Amino acid sequence: MSAKAIHLNLLLESERLSSSPVRPKVILPVAAGVLLVAMLLWWVFLLLQGRLDGSEVANLRAEVAATDKLYAEACKLKDAMGAAEAELNQCKGYLNARRAWGETLAAVATTMPDGIQLAMIEIPEPGRQNLNPPPGVKLPPLLGPTNELEAVTFRIAGKTAREAYVFDFLDAVKVTPAFTNNLLVSRKTGERGEASPRMHQFGQDKTTDEGGNRAIVFDVEYLTTGRRFAP
Amino acid sequence: MKQRNPMILLPLFGAAALGVYFALVQPCSDQLGKDRKALDSLRSETAKRKIAIQSRSSIEDRMKQIEAELRQFSELQLEPLLESYAMRAKSIVGAFATEAGLVDAEFSDRPVRALPVLPGRPVPAALHARRPIMVSCYGDYAAIVSFILRVERDLPHVTLGGLRIQPGGGQNPMLQRAEIILEWPAKGAEKK
């Protein structure tokens, strides 16, 4: 007869201990207890933090209230400075937009061929300002134009017996600093705007003189870079 | 001896932990969040105020500078004489016209032109404008140019705002009629 190992278990199921050193029956309640303590500690920490923050909030509110008057004065002063700077910029804009014409007009006399009789020299006055809103729009009038740039042109017209005199004058304008400093003397259409010079009229006069000859009339306009009312 | 089951503590501790979390920790955390936002906002407000208050003296210095420059500019402005700007202009440049050789010089007002006020920028404390005055006169071309050059040299704040020179229409072919528009800086309209 073979000897079989006899295994007797004298322990009840409930008394049997787990071979594992970590017993869920103990660990889980302990973990729950630790969690509870952690929650409580967290709450205490939040309370303390809240007290500190609350104290700082109160201090800062008091500081803000104490500086109300000074701050209001500082803001008012800053606004006043902004308005004063804007006023000064307006004045500087006027000074920067000045344009001198004396030298250009003097150069007309020195470069104009003797064979040309001038009929007109004109620097047109700018058109009337309209600061009112369009009809039907209920807005107050503007305080001033909203564009800093004002166009300025120079127009010269006359008559002559020979076309060549006119071409000589136009060529002289292109190379005389008194003109080139003020006028756009050779700009073609499309180059940032209209052509300059622009010939409004160049041809025979409709009338004849005592000898029955027709003069050549010309009317040429030069653009300029304009007047920029910027500080 | 009957052993107590420690597992009975699990639901008790668990419930207590959840209770502490929802009843105490979460409300406290929410309040702390609100306090932190208020704190950040107050900190930035106090910093902003501090900068504004500290910069007062530099702003006051800059204001004095601006006021001095504006005073200088106001001395250039055309003021009316007996309620007439044209009369004032005549009192200033009339002698220039005579000395240049211009005759029959008449001075008249042209419409005032406001200076630009750009949108989106601070509105000037006071508005300024351009006050054009037309000088209608007769003279030869050299006299007209001489007058304009004299004005530009002696009154650099005055600028030529317009010009028309054409034959005077008389017996003398050298005599030209000129309409010269001189522009002065002036006070602008009152702000409403």
Side-chain angles (χ1 to χ4, degrees):
Chain A
M1 179 168 90
S2 59
K4 275 192 183 174
I6 295 172
H7 181 79
L8 284 175
N9 200 343
L10 298 175
L11 289 175
L12 293 171
E13 204 51 49
S14 60
E15 291 167 343
R16 190 179 292 181
L17 294 172
S18 167
S19 59
S20 165
V22 177
R23 292 180 291 167
K25 268 188 202 175
V26 173
I27 285 301
L28 287 176
V30 168
V34 166
L35 183 63
L36 175 61
V37 169
M39 286 291 143
L40 287 168
L41 285 174
W42 187 8
W43 173 58
V44 168
F45 169 76
L46 289 174
L47 271 180
L48 289 173
Q49 195 62 49
R51 287 253 167 93
L52 285 171
D53 286 354
S55 168
E56 198 180 343
V57 162
N59 288 342
L60 287 175
R61 281 197 176 132
E63 198 178 321
V64 164
T67 55
D68 269 347
K69 196 175 168 200
L70 276 176
Y71 179 65
E73 285 170 7
C75 288
K76 210 170 155 188
L77 194 62
K78 196 174 170 199
D79 290 344
M81 192 190 78
E85 289 262 26
E87 185 185 347
L88 185 63
N89 285 340
Q90 213 183 34
C91 299
K92 283 181 177 174
Y94 170 86
L95 294 173
N96 290 342
R98 289 167 299 169
R99 205 175 187 95
W101 285 98
E103 297 292 337
T104 306
L105 293 167
V108 169
T110 56
T111 55
M112 186 68 65
D114 289 338
I116 288 182
Q117 184 186 353
L118 276 181
M120 181 197 69
I121 289 178
E122 188 182 32
I123 300 169
E125 193 183 4
R128 194 175 267 271
Q129 272 186 345
N130 179 12
L131 302 177
N132 293 318
V137 175
K138 287 183 183 172
L139 282 172
L142 294 170
L143 295 175
T146 54
N147 188 0
E148 286 178 338
L149 185 62
E150 186 175 87
V152 179
T153 59
F154 179 81
R155 194 158 170 174
I156 188 163
K159 61 168 91 170
T160 180
R162 293 178 56 193
E163 285 182 359
Y165 292 142
V166 177
F167 297 131
D168 288 346
F169 173 66
L170 296 178
D171 288 341
V173 166
K174 281 184 193 173
V175 298
T176 305
F179 290 117
T180 58
N181 288 343
N182 232 344
L183 311 176
L184 296 175
V185 297
S186 54
R187 192 170 85 179
K188 296 185 172 52
T189 303
E191 284 180 26
R192 304 185 306 275
E194 295 172 347
S196 176
R198 191 166 48 179
M199 195 65 85
H200 288 282
Q201 187 184 17
F202 188 47
Q204 281 193 322
D205 195 2
K206 288 174 185 164
T207 57
T208 54
D209 61 15
E210 288 166 358
N213 301 314
R214 289 181 196 272
I216 307 287
V217 291
F218 71 94
D219 182 347
V220 61
E221 184 183 39
Y222 286 87
L223 302 179
T224 71
T225 52
R227 293 178 69 185
R228 186 171 291 278
F229 293 86
Chain B
M1 189 170 70
K2 192 179 178 180
Q3 269 190 320
R4 285 191 191 152
N5 188 351
M7 284 296 282
I8 200 164
L9 294 174
L10 175 60
L12 286 173
F13 284 161
L18 281 173
V20 165
Y21 176 77
F22 285 110
L24 299 175
V25 169
Q26 194 162 42
C28 230
S29 178
D30 290 345
Q31 185 56 45
L32 199 63
K34 285 178 191 164
D35 285 348
R36 283 280 157 90
K37 277 186 187 163
L39 202 57
D40 288 340
S41 158
L42 282 167
R43 278 180 187 147
S44 71
E45 177 68 18
T46 46
K48 183 179 81 175
R49 286 184 177 217
K50 204 173 170 186
I51 291 170
I53 290 165
Q54 280 171 351
S55 63
R56 272 184 66 172
S57 69
S58 64
I59 291 177
E60 278 163 0
D61 290 342
R62 177 66 188 137
M63 281 291 281
K64 283 179 188 159
Q65 218 179 0
I66 292 172
E67 279 159 15
E69 288 185 60
L70 285 172
R71 264 195 303 275
Q72 278 183 344
F73 187 79
S74 71
E75 286 165 13
L76 305 176
Q77 289 177 328
L78 193 66
E79 297 282 345
L81 174 62
L82 300 175
E83 295 183 12
S84 166
Y85 287 94
M87 273 198 69
R88 174 66 72 188
K90 185 174 179 178
S91 74
I92 298 170
V93 301
F96 295 178
T98 308
E99 286 163 19
L102 298 174
V103 296
D104 297 337
E106 291 178 0
F107 290 72
S108 57
D109 288 316
R110 296 298 295 158
V112 172
R113 307 186 66 81
L115 286 170
V117 177
L118 299 185
R121 299 210 193 152
V123 174
L127 297 174
H128 291 264
R130 301 144 64 184
R131 178 70 66 171
I133 303 291
M134 181 180 283
V135 184
S136 306
C137 55
Y138 290 87
D140 60 28
Y141 187 77
I144 295 167
V145 174
S146 170
F147 169 69
I148 292 170
L149 282 167
R150 174 92 182 265
V151 168
E152 286 176 352
R153 187 191 73 207
D154 291 358
L155 303 170
H157 55 285
V158 178
T159 194
L160 195 65
L163 174 70
R164 189 176 178 89
I165 302 174
Q166 53 194 104
Q171 297 286 333
N172 182 359
M174 302 300 290
L175 192 71
Q176 310 289 323
R177 173 175 162 76
E179 290 174 346
I180 305 164
I181 296 175
L182 298 176
E183 204 176 80
W184 267 266
K187 283 187 187 147
E190 292 285 325
K191 280 195 303 184
K192 286 174 192 166

